[in-house]
Amino acid sequence: SHFSDLLLSKEGADITFEVGSKKLAAHRCVLAARSTVFKKQLFGSMDKGAAAPSVVKIDGIEASVFEALLTFIYTDGLPDLDRMHVWLLYSEGGEKDATWLLQLLEAAERYDLQKLKFICEEKFANLICENRM
């Protein structure tokens, strides 16, 4: 819960991600500790004396998906999907929910977050099974 509080408070954040029109603050050390891709992106190409960028633009990922990715990185869990997305399962046949989960799965692959990939695959399989019944 302490890392979740850190993400929510933005205290000590040293990087900002621009995802669409949304700006999301984060902490380089937390991202690098959880993702080898973030580690390479944020620390790998730094020359001695070179300043690391403080703003990184993210393309190809919706803001809500990137927020969920950050939540996973900080908490090792997903945001409350019951509140955020599963209601779409009943209101629109699950298509938007499945699309969102697929995008999160793609983001997990992009940032090499194996546990998040597994969680998304499991939830996606459950959606498929529920829609078949």
Side-chain angles (χ1 to χ4, degrees):
S1 70
H2 292 109
F3 278 105
S4 178
D5 293 344
L6 189 63
L7 177 63
L8 293 173
S9 74
K10 302 174 185 152
E11 188 174 339
D14 57 357
I15 189 160
T16 300
F17 292 98
E18 288 184 358
V19 189
S21 62
K22 197 158 195 174
K23 293 184 180 189
L24 304 166
H27 305 82
R28 291 173 196 276
C29 60
V30 175
L31 301 174
R34 298 277 291 163
S35 166
T36 57
V37 174
F38 275 125
K39 185 175 185 176
K40 288 177 189 173
Q41 181 182 11
L42 301 174
F43 294 110
S45 63
M46 290 177 52
D47 295 326
K48 286 187 177 183
S54 60
V55 177
V56 175
K57 185 167 174 50
I58 301 293
D59 294 317
I61 300 177
E62 289 184 27
S64 68
V65 172
F66 197 77
E67 282 182 283
L69 181 98
L70 287 178
T71 298
F72 175 80
I73 287 172
Y74 279 77
T75 67
D76 208 33
L78 291 177
D80 186 0
L81 290 178
D82 290 330
R83 196 182 45 149
M84 287 181 65
H85 297 284
V86 173
W87 64 270
L88 290 169
L89 175 66
Y90 302 106
S91 63
E92 299 183 27
E95 289 179 26
K96 284 189 178 181
D97 197 46
T99 300
W100 187 87
L101 275 173
L102 186 56
Q103 290 174 9
L104 186 57
L105 175 62
E106 290 171 351
E109 175 70 29
R110 179 174 169 177
Y111 290 100
D112 193 29
L113 297 166
Q114 297 303 313
K115 183 176 177 183
L116 180 58
K117 281 177 53 179
F118 175 76
I119 291 169
C120 290
E121 289 167 351
E122 185 175 38
K123 291 191 176 296
F124 197 67
N126 289 339
L127 278 176
I128 291 169
C129 290
E130 289 175 9
N131 285 334
R132 285 190 168 170
M133 295 180 153

